[in-house]
């Protein structure tokens, strides 16, 4: 079945540091890939997405490139801020009958001033 | 503005009680979902519904029940059969067959057994 693997957290960085959160996946066919962000006590918000190989999703300074050859969708940001502290979820949709997304376990990001 | 509304934000349940979590959307989405979130476990699918009057079990349906009498509403009942119900519950919706665009989530309900 489909699965998503994310790096374990928490990830702690200083403000203005470069961020990478790794995400790899296993899926049938050619899935769509997503990054969601969850701030404390809130639901998930779609951060960015990519629907085919080599697509780059981007939003709010975050980027991720759909790499079919390595089955990866790593999240990056050049200079993080304290306000980026949150939990980040990688997810995929492969068009299965449930119309459902498969989520990774989430990575807790902590940015220190 | 369109969106998903979950209520209440916090809910306390006594042992042996059934409680119902509300989820309402005005996005005109056909599909709705309930997820449970526990620390370090990510999101686990409880139930989903792709059309009115139809729903399917997810990965952890035992101890839960749902109904879908209206397109806009997908309430979740946590029954006394659910042995460990303390968790954060998230409702989501999507345009059926277009999961490629992702989901819209509500802001969640935190359920605590007292």
């Amino acid at each position: 079945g489909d699965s998503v693997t994310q790096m374990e957290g928490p990830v702690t960085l200083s403000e203005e540091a470069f961020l990478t959160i790794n995400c790899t996946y296993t899926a049938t066919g050619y899935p769509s890939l997503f990054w969601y962000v969850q701030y404390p006590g809130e639901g998930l918000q779609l951060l960015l997405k990519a629907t085919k190989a080599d697509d780059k999703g981007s939003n709010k300074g975050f980027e991720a490139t759909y790499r079919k050859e390595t089955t990866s969708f790593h999240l990056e940001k050049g200079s993080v801020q304290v306000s980026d502290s949150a939990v980040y979820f990688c997810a995929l949709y492969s068009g299965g009958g449930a119309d459902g997304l498969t989520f990774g376990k989430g990575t807790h990001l902590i940015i220190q001033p | 503005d369109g969106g998903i509304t979950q209520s209440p934000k916090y809910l306390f349940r006594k042992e042996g009680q059934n409680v119902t979590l509300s989820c309402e959307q005005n996005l005109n989405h056909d599909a709705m979902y309930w997820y449970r979130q526990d620390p370090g476990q990510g999101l686990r699918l409880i139930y989903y519904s792709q059309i009115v009057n139809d729903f399917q079990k997810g990965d952890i349906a035992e101890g839960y029940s749902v109904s879908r009498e209206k397109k806009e509403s997908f309430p979740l009942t946590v029954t006394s059969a659910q042995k460990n119900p303390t968790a954060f519950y998230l409702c989501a919706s999507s345009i059926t067959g277009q999961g490629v665009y992702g989901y819209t989530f509500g802001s969640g309900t935190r359920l605590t057994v007292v």
Side-chain angles (χ1 to χ4, degrees), chain A residues 32 34 36 38 41-46 49 51 87 89 93 96-106, chain B residues 9 31 33 35 37 40-43 48 50 88 90 94-103 105-107:
Chain A
S32 297
F34 307 86
Y36 282 85
Q38 183 180 34
E42 298 294 324
L44 277 68
Q45 302 173 24
L46 180 63
K49 68 179 188 289
T51 57
V87 180
F89 290 90
Y93 169 72
D99 189 31
L101 273 73
T102 300
F103 288 88
K105 291 189 175 183
Chain B
K9 192 170 180 65
Y33 311 82
Y35 284 90
Q37 185 177 22
Q41 299 235 13
L43 277 67
Y48 64 96
Q50 293 183 299
F88 191 50
L90 287 163
S94 72
I95 303 172
T96 300
Q98 297 187 32
V100 68
Y101 297 115
Y103 293 170
F105 280 86
S107 57

mmCIF file of all heavy atoms in Angstrom, chain A residues 32 34 36 38 41-46 49 51 87 89 93 96-106, chain B residues 9 31 33 35 37 40-43 48 50 88 90 94-103 105-107:
data_model
loop_
_atom_site.group_PDB
_atom_site.id
_atom_site.type_symbol
_atom_site.label_atom_id
_atom_site.label_comp_id
_atom_site.label_asym_id
_atom_site.label_seq_id
_atom_site.Cartn_x
_atom_site.Cartn_y
_atom_site.Cartn_z
ATOM 1 N N SER A 32 0.013 12.480 -6.533
ATOM 2 C CA SER A 32 0.172 13.896 -6.226
ATOM 3 C C SER A 32 0.751 13.992 -4.824
ATOM 4 O O SER A 32 0.441 13.172 -3.959
ATOM 5 C CB SER A 32 -1.169 14.615 -6.287
ATOM 6 O OG SER A 32 -1.701 14.573 -7.585
ATOM 7 N N PHE A 34 1.947 16.485 -1.368
ATOM 8 C CA PHE A 34 1.526 17.670 -0.620
ATOM 9 C C PHE A 34 2.400 17.869 0.614
ATOM 10 O O PHE A 34 2.921 16.904 1.184
ATOM 11 C CB PHE A 34 0.078 17.510 -0.111
ATOM 12 C CG PHE A 34 -0.921 17.159 -1.170
ATOM 13 C CD1 PHE A 34 -1.144 15.838 -1.527
ATOM 14 C CD2 PHE A 34 -1.651 18.147 -1.794
ATOM 15 C CE1 PHE A 34 -2.065 15.499 -2.502
ATOM 16 C CE2 PHE A 34 -2.584 17.828 -2.766
ATOM 17 C CZ PHE A 34 -2.791 16.510 -3.115
ATOM 18 N N TYR A 36 1.553 19.823 4.269
ATOM 19 C CA TYR A 36 0.611 20.540 5.112
ATOM 20 C C TYR A 36 1.356 21.054 6.343
ATOM 21 O O TYR A 36 2.332 20.459 6.794
ATOM 22 C CB TYR A 36 -0.512 19.615 5.582
ATOM 23 C CG TYR A 36 -1.569 19.350 4.548
ATOM 24 C CD1 TYR A 36 -1.400 18.348 3.602
ATOM 25 C CD2 TYR A 36 -2.738 20.096 4.518
ATOM 26 C CE1 TYR A 36 -2.382 18.104 2.650
ATOM 27 C CE2 TYR A 36 -3.719 19.858 3.574
ATOM 28 C CZ TYR A 36 -3.528 18.862 2.642
ATOM 29 O OH TYR A 36 -4.502 18.625 1.709
ATOM 30 N N GLN A 38 0.699 22.478 10.426
ATOM 31 C CA GLN A 38 -0.250 22.542 11.544
ATOM 32 C C GLN A 38 0.355 23.386 12.651
ATOM 33 O O GLN A 38 1.374 23.005 13.249
ATOM 34 C CB GLN A 38 -0.568 21.143 12.060
ATOM 35 C CG GLN A 38 -1.609 21.129 13.167
ATOM 36 C CD GLN A 38 -1.907 19.739 13.676
ATOM 37 O OE1 GLN A 38 -1.021 18.886 13.725
ATOM 38 N NE2 GLN A 38 -3.156 19.491 14.053
ATOM 39 N N GLY A 41 -2.674 23.661 18.234
ATOM 40 C CA GLY A 41 -4.097 23.704 18.507
ATOM 41 C C GLY A 41 -4.986 23.929 17.308
ATOM 42 O O GLY A 41 -6.194 24.147 17.461
ATOM 43 N N GLU A 42 -4.411 23.860 16.109
ATOM 44 C CA GLU A 42 -5.182 24.137 14.900
ATOM 45 C C GLU A 42 -5.248 22.916 13.993
ATOM 46 O O GLU A 42 -4.573 21.911 14.208
ATOM 47 C CB GLU A 42 -4.540 25.296 14.127
ATOM 48 C CG GLU A 42 -4.507 26.610 14.889
ATOM 49 C CD GLU A 42 -5.905 27.148 15.135
ATOM 50 O OE1 GLU A 42 -6.779 26.982 14.249
ATOM 51 O OE2 GLU A 42 -6.127 27.718 16.223
ATOM 52 N N GLY A 43 -6.090 23.017 12.957
ATOM 53 C CA GLY A 43 -6.131 21.991 11.928
ATOM 54 C C GLY A 43 -4.973 22.148 10.965
ATOM 55 O O GLY A 43 -4.105 23.000 11.139
ATOM 56 N N LEU A 44 -4.967 21.313 9.932
ATOM 57 C CA LEU A 44 -3.899 21.352 8.944
ATOM 58 C C LEU A 44 -4.243 22.332 7.826
ATOM 59 O O LEU A 44 -5.397 22.435 7.402
ATOM 60 C CB LEU A 44 -3.683 19.956 8.338
ATOM 61 C CG LEU A 44 -2.820 18.989 9.114
ATOM 62 C CD1 LEU A 44 -3.492 18.563 10.399
ATOM 63 C CD2 LEU A 44 -2.485 17.767 8.247
ATOM 64 N N GLN A 45 -3.212 23.022 7.350
ATOM 65 C CA GLN A 45 -3.386 23.940 6.224
ATOM 66 C C GLN A 45 -2.485 23.464 5.090
ATOM 67 O O GLN A 45 -1.333 23.098 5.323
ATOM 68 C CB GLN A 45 -2.984 25.364 6.605
ATOM 69 C CG GLN A 45 -3.724 25.958 7.776
ATOM 70 C CD GLN A 45 -3.143 27.288 8.192
ATOM 71 O OE1 GLN A 45 -2.492 27.989 7.397
ATOM 72 N NE2 GLN A 45 -3.368 27.676 9.435
ATOM 73 N N LEU A 46 -3.016 23.489 3.878
ATOM 74 C CA LEU A 46 -2.207 23.123 2.730
ATOM 75 C C LEU A 46 -1.113 24.168 2.518
ATOM 76 O O LEU A 46 -1.401 25.359 2.379
ATOM 77 C CB LEU A 46 -3.078 23.006 1.482
ATOM 78 C CG LEU A 46 -2.363 22.621 0.193
ATOM 79 C CD1 LEU A 46 -1.745 21.233 0.301
ATOM 80 C CD2 LEU A 46 -3.323 22.683 -0.985
ATOM 81 N N LYS A 49 1.867 21.989 -3.074
ATOM 82 C CA LYS A 49 1.608 20.702 -3.685
ATOM 83 C C LYS A 49 2.316 20.611 -5.031
ATOM 84 O O LYS A 49 2.718 21.615 -5.621
ATOM 85 C CB LYS A 49 0.118 20.462 -3.862
ATOM 86 C CG LYS A 49 -0.552 21.363 -4.881
ATOM 87 C CD LYS A 49 -2.025 21.043 -5.004
ATOM 88 C CE LYS A 49 -2.677 21.804 -6.148
ATOM 89 N NZ LYS A 49 -2.796 23.237 -5.873
ATOM 90 N N THR A 51 1.866 17.941 -8.640
ATOM 91 C CA THR A 51 1.034 16.868 -9.181
ATOM 92 C C THR A 51 1.740 15.972 -10.188
ATOM 93 O O THR A 51 1.201 14.933 -10.554
ATOM 94 C CB THR A 51 -0.228 17.445 -9.837
ATOM 95 O OG1 THR A 51 0.173 18.359 -10.852
ATOM 96 C CG2 THR A 51 -1.091 18.163 -8.805
ATOM 97 N N VAL A 87 4.111 21.924 13.089
ATOM 98 C CA VAL A 87 4.300 20.544 12.661
ATOM 99 C C VAL A 87 4.007 20.467 11.167
ATOM 100 O O VAL A 87 2.985 20.987 10.708
ATOM 101 C CB VAL A 87 3.390 19.573 13.435
ATOM 102 C CG1 VAL A 87 3.615 18.136 12.954
ATOM 103 C CG2 VAL A 87 3.642 19.674 14.929
ATOM 104 N N PHE A 89 3.498 18.104 7.735
ATOM 105 C CA PHE A 89 3.093 16.777 7.282
ATOM 106 C C PHE A 89 3.283 16.668 5.773
ATOM 107 O O PHE A 89 2.804 17.523 5.017
ATOM 108 C CB PHE A 89 1.617 16.513 7.591
ATOM 109 C CG PHE A 89 1.303 16.352 9.041
ATOM 110 C CD1 PHE A 89 0.956 17.441 9.821
ATOM 111 C CD2 PHE A 89 1.340 15.089 9.631
ATOM 112 C CE1 PHE A 89 0.656 17.278 11.167
ATOM 113 C CE2 PHE A 89 1.045 14.928 10.977
ATOM 114 C CZ PHE A 89 0.703 16.021 11.742
ATOM 115 N N TYR A 93 -1.487 11.525 -2.664
ATOM 116 C CA TYR A 93 -2.760 11.027 -3.162
ATOM 117 C C TYR A 93 -2.468 10.219 -4.415
ATOM 118 O O TYR A 93 -1.912 10.741 -5.380
ATOM 119 C CB TYR A 93 -3.697 12.186 -3.499
ATOM 120 C CG TYR A 93 -4.926 11.775 -4.262
ATOM 121 C CD1 TYR A 93 -5.941 11.065 -3.640
ATOM 122 C CD2 TYR A 93 -5.063 12.054 -5.617
ATOM 123 C CE1 TYR A 93 -7.066 10.676 -4.332
ATOM 124 C CE2 TYR A 93 -6.185 11.663 -6.320
ATOM 125 C CZ TYR A 93 -7.183 10.963 -5.673
ATOM 126 O OH TYR A 93 -8.293 10.570 -6.363
ATOM 127 N N GLY A 96 -6.552 6.204 -5.215
ATOM 128 C CA GLY A 96 -7.203 4.978 -4.793
ATOM 129 C C GLY A 96 -8.681 5.179 -4.578
ATOM 130 O O GLY A 96 -9.166 6.292 -4.548
ATOM 131 N N GLY A 97 -9.399 4.084 -4.371
ATOM 132 C CA GLY A 97 -10.850 4.130 -4.280
ATOM 133 C C GLY A 97 -11.370 4.986 -3.141
ATOM 134 O O GLY A 97 -12.466 5.501 -3.210
ATOM 135 N N ALA A 98 -10.576 5.130 -2.081
ATOM 136 C CA ALA A 98 -11.048 5.913 -0.939
ATOM 137 C C ALA A 98 -10.926 7.402 -1.176
ATOM 138 O O ALA A 98 -11.364 8.184 -0.353
ATOM 139 C CB ALA A 98 -10.263 5.532 0.312
ATOM 140 N N ASP A 99 -10.344 7.777 -2.296
ATOM 141 C CA ASP A 99 -10.116 9.198 -2.559
ATOM 142 C C ASP A 99 -9.327 9.829 -1.428
ATOM 143 O O ASP A 99 -9.461 11.008 -1.150
ATOM 144 C CB ASP A 99 -11.470 9.912 -2.723
ATOM 145 C CG ASP A 99 -11.310 11.341 -3.212
ATOM 146 O OD1 ASP A 99 -10.345 11.597 -3.944
ATOM 147 O OD2 ASP A 99 -12.141 12.187 -2.836
ATOM 148 N N GLY A 100 -8.521 8.989 -0.762
ATOM 149 C CA GLY A 100 -7.909 9.466 0.457
ATOM 150 C C GLY A 100 -6.452 9.827 0.314
ATOM 151 O O GLY A 100 -5.741 9.296 -0.531
ATOM 152 N N LEU A 101 -6.035 10.766 1.166
ATOM 153 C CA LEU A 101 -4.624 11.095 1.273
ATOM 154 C C LEU A 101 -3.964 10.176 2.280
ATOM 155 O O LEU A 101 -4.565 9.797 3.282
ATOM 156 C CB LEU A 101 -4.438 12.549 1.716
ATOM 157 C CG LEU A 101 -4.419 13.590 0.606
ATOM 158 C CD1 LEU A 101 -5.789 13.802 0.043
ATOM 159 C CD2 LEU A 101 -3.834 14.896 1.099
ATOM 160 N N THR A 102 -2.716 9.850 2.017
ATOM 161 C CA THR A 102 -1.877 9.119 2.955
ATOM 162 C C THR A 102 -0.888 10.114 3.542
ATOM 163 O O THR A 102 -0.177 10.795 2.801
ATOM 164 C CB THR A 102 -1.131 7.978 2.255
ATOM 165 O OG1 THR A 102 -2.084 7.067 1.695
ATOM 166 C CG2 THR A 102 -0.251 7.239 3.237
ATOM 167 N N PHE A 103 -0.846 10.190 4.875
ATOM 168 C CA PHE A 103 -0.007 11.170 5.558
ATOM 169 C C PHE A 103 1.218 10.517 6.195
ATOM 170 O O PHE A 103 1.158 9.375 6.664
ATOM 171 C CB PHE A 103 -0.795 11.860 6.667
ATOM 172 C CG PHE A 103 -1.844 12.814 6.174
ATOM 173 C CD1 PHE A 103 -3.122 12.356 5.901
ATOM 174 C CD2 PHE A 103 -1.555 14.148 5.993
ATOM 175 C CE1 PHE A 103 -4.101 13.226 5.435
ATOM 176 C CE2 PHE A 103 -2.524 15.026 5.533
ATOM 177 C CZ PHE A 103 -3.802 14.565 5.257
ATOM 178 N N GLY A 104 2.309 11.267 6.250
ATOM 179 C CA GLY A 104 3.422 10.907 7.102
ATOM 180 C C GLY A 104 3.081 11.231 8.547
ATOM 181 O O GLY A 104 2.023 11.783 8.844
ATOM 182 N N LYS A 105 3.988 10.913 9.466
ATOM 183 C CA LYS A 105 3.711 11.093 10.894
ATOM 184 C C LYS A 105 3.931 12.529 11.364
ATOM 185 O O LYS A 105 3.616 12.851 12.508
ATOM 186 C CB LYS A 105 4.563 10.136 11.716
ATOM 187 C CG LYS A 105 4.156 8.683 11.541
ATOM 188 C CD LYS A 105 4.874 7.782 12.530
ATOM 189 C CE LYS A 105 4.334 6.358 12.409
ATOM 190 N NZ LYS A 105 4.958 5.454 13.405
ATOM 191 N N GLY A 106 4.471 13.352 10.520
ATOM 192 C CA GLY A 106 4.670 14.744 10.886
ATOM 193 C C GLY A 106 6.049 15.000 11.471
ATOM 194 O O GLY A 106 6.634 14.127 12.116
ATOM 195 N N LYS B 9 -14.711 23.069 20.296
ATOM 196 C CA LYS B 9 -13.260 23.036 20.195
ATOM 197 C C LYS B 9 -12.671 22.111 21.270
ATOM 198 O O LYS B 9 -11.675 21.426 21.030
ATOM 199 C CB LYS B 9 -12.686 24.441 20.361
ATOM 200 C CG LYS B 9 -11.209 24.560 19.991
ATOM 201 C CD LYS B 9 -10.782 26.016 19.947
ATOM 202 C CE LYS B 9 -9.306 26.132 19.582
ATOM 203 N NZ LYS B 9 -9.024 25.648 18.217
ATOM 204 N N ALA B 31 -17.014 14.874 -0.664
ATOM 205 C CA ALA B 31 -16.339 13.925 0.224
ATOM 206 C C ALA B 31 -15.966 14.576 1.549
ATOM 207 O O ALA B 31 -15.527 15.723 1.595
ATOM 208 C CB ALA B 31 -15.084 13.381 -0.449
ATOM 209 N N TYR B 33 -14.222 13.535 5.639
ATOM 210 C CA TYR B 33 -13.353 12.569 6.326
ATOM 211 C C TYR B 33 -13.238 12.932 7.806
ATOM 212 O O TYR B 33 -13.277 14.109 8.164
ATOM 213 C CB TYR B 33 -11.941 12.606 5.725
ATOM 214 C CG TYR B 33 -11.881 12.518 4.225
ATOM 215 C CD1 TYR B 33 -12.069 13.641 3.436
ATOM 216 C CD2 TYR B 33 -11.635 11.302 3.595
ATOM 217 C CE1 TYR B 33 -12.020 13.574 2.056
ATOM 218 C CE2 TYR B 33 -11.577 11.225 2.211
ATOM 219 C CZ TYR B 33 -11.775 12.355 1.457
ATOM 220 O OH TYR B 33 -11.730 12.280 0.089
ATOM 221 N N TYR B 35 -10.415 12.212 10.918
ATOM 222 C CA TYR B 35 -9.116 11.701 11.314
ATOM 223 C C TYR B 35 -8.952 11.851 12.827
ATOM 224 O O TYR B 35 -9.464 12.789 13.430
ATOM 225 C CB TYR B 35 -7.986 12.477 10.634
ATOM 226 C CG TYR B 35 -7.778 12.129 9.188
ATOM 227 C CD1 TYR B 35 -8.453 12.806 8.189
ATOM 228 C CD2 TYR B 35 -6.898 11.112 8.827
ATOM 229 C CE1 TYR B 35 -8.256 12.490 6.863
ATOM 230 C CE2 TYR B 35 -6.694 10.787 7.499
ATOM 231 C CZ TYR B 35 -7.376 11.485 6.526
ATOM 232 O OH TYR B 35 -7.177 11.166 5.203
ATOM 233 N N GLN B 37 -5.836 12.256 15.655
ATOM 234 C CA GLN B 37 -4.423 12.595 15.758
ATOM 235 C C GLN B 37 -3.968 12.382 17.193
ATOM 236 O O GLN B 37 -4.522 12.959 18.129
ATOM 237 C CB GLN B 37 -4.180 14.048 15.339
ATOM 238 C CG GLN B 37 -2.716 14.431 15.307
ATOM 239 C CD GLN B 37 -2.487 15.840 14.823
ATOM 240 O OE1 GLN B 37 -3.373 16.690 14.875
ATOM 241 N NE2 GLN B 37 -1.292 16.111 14.332
ATOM 242 N N GLY B 40 2.872 11.917 18.015
ATOM 243 C CA GLY B 40 3.843 10.998 17.447
ATOM 244 C C GLY B 40 3.257 9.951 16.515
ATOM 245 O O GLY B 40 3.992 9.111 15.993
ATOM 246 N N GLN B 41 1.943 9.992 16.289
ATOM 247 C CA GLN B 41 1.323 8.959 15.449
ATOM 248 C C GLN B 41 0.794 9.506 14.149
ATOM 249 O O GLN B 41 0.270 8.781 13.334
ATOM 250 C CB GLN B 41 0.158 8.302 16.203
ATOM 251 C CG GLN B 41 0.579 7.621 17.478
ATOM 252 C CD GLN B 41 0.132 6.172 17.500
ATOM 253 O OE1 GLN B 41 -0.271 5.620 16.490
ATOM 254 N NE2 GLN B 41 0.220 5.548 18.651
ATOM 255 N N GLY B 42 0.874 10.766 13.931
ATOM 256 C CA GLY B 42 0.332 11.322 12.712
ATOM 257 C C GLY B 42 -1.180 11.266 12.699
ATOM 258 O O GLY B 42 -1.830 11.248 13.746
ATOM 259 N N LEU B 43 -1.756 11.217 11.486
ATOM 260 C CA LEU B 43 -3.203 11.190 11.324
ATOM 261 C C LEU B 43 -3.652 9.786 10.952
ATOM 262 O O LEU B 43 -3.067 9.159 10.071
ATOM 263 C CB LEU B 43 -3.632 12.159 10.219
ATOM 264 C CG LEU B 43 -3.788 13.625 10.581
ATOM 265 C CD1 LEU B 43 -2.461 14.256 10.921
ATOM 266 C CD2 LEU B 43 -4.453 14.381 9.455
ATOM 267 N N TYR B 48 -14.876 7.818 6.275
ATOM 268 C CA TYR B 48 -14.998 8.790 5.205
ATOM 269 C C TYR B 48 -16.304 8.572 4.457
ATOM 270 O O TYR B 48 -16.882 7.475 4.502
ATOM 271 C CB TYR B 48 -13.803 8.730 4.245
ATOM 272 C CG TYR B 48 -13.648 7.440 3.483
ATOM 273 C CD1 TYR B 48 -14.147 7.309 2.194
ATOM 274 C CD2 TYR B 48 -12.967 6.364 4.045
ATOM 275 C CE1 TYR B 48 -13.992 6.127 1.492
ATOM 276 C CE2 TYR B 48 -12.807 5.184 3.349
ATOM 277 C CZ TYR B 48 -13.313 5.070 2.076
ATOM 278 O OH TYR B 48 -13.154 3.888 1.386
ATOM 279 N N GLN B 50 -18.177 9.652 0.645
ATOM 280 C CA GLN B 50 -17.987 10.277 -0.665
ATOM 281 C C GLN B 50 -19.282 10.880 -1.199
ATOM 282 O O GLN B 50 -19.239 11.745 -2.073
ATOM 283 C CB GLN B 50 -17.423 9.262 -1.657
ATOM 284 C CG GLN B 50 -15.998 8.837 -1.305
ATOM 285 C CD GLN B 50 -15.404 7.890 -2.326
ATOM 286 O OE1 GLN B 50 -15.922 6.805 -2.549
ATOM 287 N NE2 GLN B 50 -14.315 8.293 -2.939
ATOM 288 N N PHE B 88 -7.050 14.337 19.502
ATOM 289 C CA PHE B 88 -7.444 15.505 18.717
ATOM 290 C C PHE B 88 -8.100 14.977 17.452
ATOM 291 O O PHE B 88 -7.519 14.148 16.748
ATOM 292 C CB PHE B 88 -6.193 16.327 18.398
ATOM 293 C CG PHE B 88 -6.462 17.690 17.819
ATOM 294 C CD1 PHE B 88 -7.352 18.563 18.423
ATOM 295 C CD2 PHE B 88 -5.801 18.109 16.682
ATOM 296 C CE1 PHE B 88 -7.573 19.829 17.908
ATOM 297 C CE2 PHE B 88 -6.019 19.378 16.152
ATOM 298 C CZ PHE B 88 -6.907 20.235 16.775
ATOM 299 N N LEU B 90 -9.890 15.590 13.742
ATOM 300 C CA LEU B 90 -9.894 16.512 12.619
ATOM 301 C C LEU B 90 -10.872 16.049 11.552
ATOM 302 O O LEU B 90 -10.870 14.875 11.169
ATOM 303 C CB LEU B 90 -8.496 16.617 12.012
ATOM 304 C CG LEU B 90 -7.485 17.387 12.844
ATOM 305 C CD1 LEU B 90 -6.073 17.078 12.389
ATOM 306 C CD2 LEU B 90 -7.741 18.877 12.747
ATOM 307 N N SER B 94 -13.131 17.173 0.609
ATOM 308 C CA SER B 94 -12.508 17.331 -0.702
ATOM 309 C C SER B 94 -13.567 17.140 -1.774
ATOM 310 O O SER B 94 -14.636 16.582 -1.520
ATOM 311 C CB SER B 94 -11.376 16.322 -0.914
ATOM 312 O OG SER B 94 -11.887 15.020 -1.089
ATOM 313 N N ILE B 95 -13.270 17.608 -2.969
ATOM 314 C CA ILE B 95 -14.140 17.370 -4.110
ATOM 315 C C ILE B 95 -13.895 15.932 -4.548
ATOM 316 O O ILE B 95 -12.787 15.566 -4.912
ATOM 317 C CB ILE B 95 -13.823 18.336 -5.258
ATOM 318 C CG1 ILE B 95 -13.955 19.780 -4.784
ATOM 319 C CG2 ILE B 95 -14.736 18.075 -6.434
ATOM 320 C CD1 ILE B 95 -13.476 20.793 -5.793
ATOM 321 N N THR B 96 -14.895 15.098 -4.488
ATOM 322 C CA THR B 96 -14.719 13.681 -4.804
ATOM 323 C C THR B 96 -14.072 13.503 -6.162
ATOM 324 O O THR B 96 -14.437 14.172 -7.120
ATOM 325 C CB THR B 96 -16.069 12.954 -4.791
ATOM 326 O OG1 THR B 96 -16.625 13.081 -3.499
ATOM 327 C CG2 THR B 96 -15.896 11.483 -5.118
ATOM 328 N N GLY B 97 -13.106 12.604 -6.188
ATOM 329 C CA GLY B 97 -12.416 12.312 -7.431
ATOM 330 C C GLY B 97 -11.359 13.331 -7.756
ATOM 331 O O GLY B 97 -10.652 13.199 -8.751
ATOM 332 N N GLN B 98 -11.236 14.356 -6.918
ATOM 333 C CA GLN B 98 -10.212 15.366 -7.151
ATOM 334 C C GLN B 98 -9.348 15.519 -5.917
ATOM 335 O O GLN B 98 -8.998 16.625 -5.525
ATOM 336 C CB GLN B 98 -10.865 16.694 -7.527
ATOM 337 C CG GLN B 98 -11.646 16.591 -8.829
ATOM 338 C CD GLN B 98 -12.166 17.930 -9.307
ATOM 339 O OE1 GLN B 98 -11.551 18.951 -9.078
ATOM 340 N NE2 GLN B 98 -13.314 17.919 -9.954
ATOM 341 N N GLY B 99 -9.018 14.373 -5.334
ATOM 342 C CA GLY B 99 -8.106 14.404 -4.200
ATOM 343 C C GLY B 99 -6.764 14.972 -4.588
ATOM 344 O O GLY B 99 -5.969 15.310 -3.730
ATOM 345 N N VAL B 100 -6.513 15.069 -5.879
ATOM 346 C CA VAL B 100 -5.282 15.661 -6.371
ATOM 347 C C VAL B 100 -5.106 17.092 -5.876
ATOM 348 O O VAL B 100 -3.993 17.598 -5.794
ATOM 349 C CB VAL B 100 -5.252 15.593 -7.905
ATOM 350 C CG1 VAL B 100 -6.307 16.501 -8.519
ATOM 351 C CG2 VAL B 100 -3.891 15.964 -8.442
ATOM 352 N N TYR B 101 -6.200 17.744 -5.528
ATOM 353 C CA TYR B 101 -6.099 19.114 -5.031
ATOM 354 C C TYR B 101 -5.981 19.179 -3.515
ATOM 355 O O TYR B 101 -5.889 20.250 -2.941
ATOM 356 C CB TYR B 101 -7.312 19.930 -5.482
ATOM 357 C CG TYR B 101 -7.389 20.058 -6.985
ATOM 358 C CD1 TYR B 101 -8.440 19.483 -7.698
ATOM 359 C CD2 TYR B 101 -6.401 20.722 -7.692
ATOM 360 C CE1 TYR B 101 -8.502 19.580 -9.074
ATOM 361 C CE2 TYR B 101 -6.448 20.829 -9.069
ATOM 362 C CZ TYR B 101 -7.503 20.246 -9.751
ATOM 363 O OH TYR B 101 -7.566 20.334 -11.110
ATOM 364 N N GLY B 102 -6.011 18.013 -2.862
ATOM 365 C CA GLY B 102 -5.837 17.998 -1.422
ATOM 366 C C GLY B 102 -7.134 18.190 -0.668
ATOM 367 O O GLY B 102 -8.216 18.187 -1.246
ATOM 368 N N TYR B 103 -7.002 18.318 0.623
ATOM 369 C CA TYR B 103 -8.144 18.476 1.508
ATOM 370 C C TYR B 103 -8.189 19.864 2.119
ATOM 371 O O TYR B 103 -7.162 20.529 2.247
ATOM 372 C CB TYR B 103 -8.042 17.535 2.710
ATOM 373 C CG TYR B 103 -8.146 16.070 2.457
ATOM 374 C CD1 TYR B 103 -7.854 15.182 3.478
ATOM 375 C CD2 TYR B 103 -8.526 15.541 1.230
ATOM 376 C CE1 TYR B 103 -7.948 13.819 3.298
ATOM 377 C CE2 TYR B 103 -8.607 14.180 1.044
ATOM 378 C CZ TYR B 103 -8.318 13.327 2.085
ATOM 379 O OH TYR B 103 -8.407 11.969 1.917
ATOM 380 N N PHE B 105 -9.200 21.307 5.847
ATOM 381 C CA PHE B 105 -9.391 20.806 7.212
ATOM 382 C C PHE B 105 -10.127 21.813 8.070
ATOM 383 O O PHE B 105 -10.009 23.033 7.874
ATOM 384 C CB PHE B 105 -8.042 20.529 7.867
ATOM 385 C CG PHE B 105 -7.417 19.235 7.460
ATOM 386 C CD1 PHE B 105 -6.638 19.165 6.318
ATOM 387 C CD2 PHE B 105 -7.610 18.086 8.212
ATOM 388 C CE1 PHE B 105 -6.057 17.969 5.927
ATOM 389 C CE2 PHE B 105 -7.033 16.886 7.834
ATOM 390 C CZ PHE B 105 -6.260 16.826 6.688
ATOM 391 N N GLY B 106 -10.868 21.279 9.056
ATOM 392 C CA GLY B 106 -11.392 22.105 10.119
ATOM 393 C C GLY B 106 -10.316 22.357 11.165
ATOM 394 O O GLY B 106 -9.189 21.856 11.060
ATOM 395 N N SER B 107 -10.667 23.108 12.205
ATOM 396 C CA SER B 107 -9.673 23.476 13.218
ATOM 397 C C SER B 107 -9.583 22.474 14.357
ATOM 398 O O SER B 107 -8.776 22.657 15.268
ATOM 399 C CB SER B 107 -9.982 24.862 13.772
ATOM 400 O OG SER B 107 -11.292 24.878 14.299
#
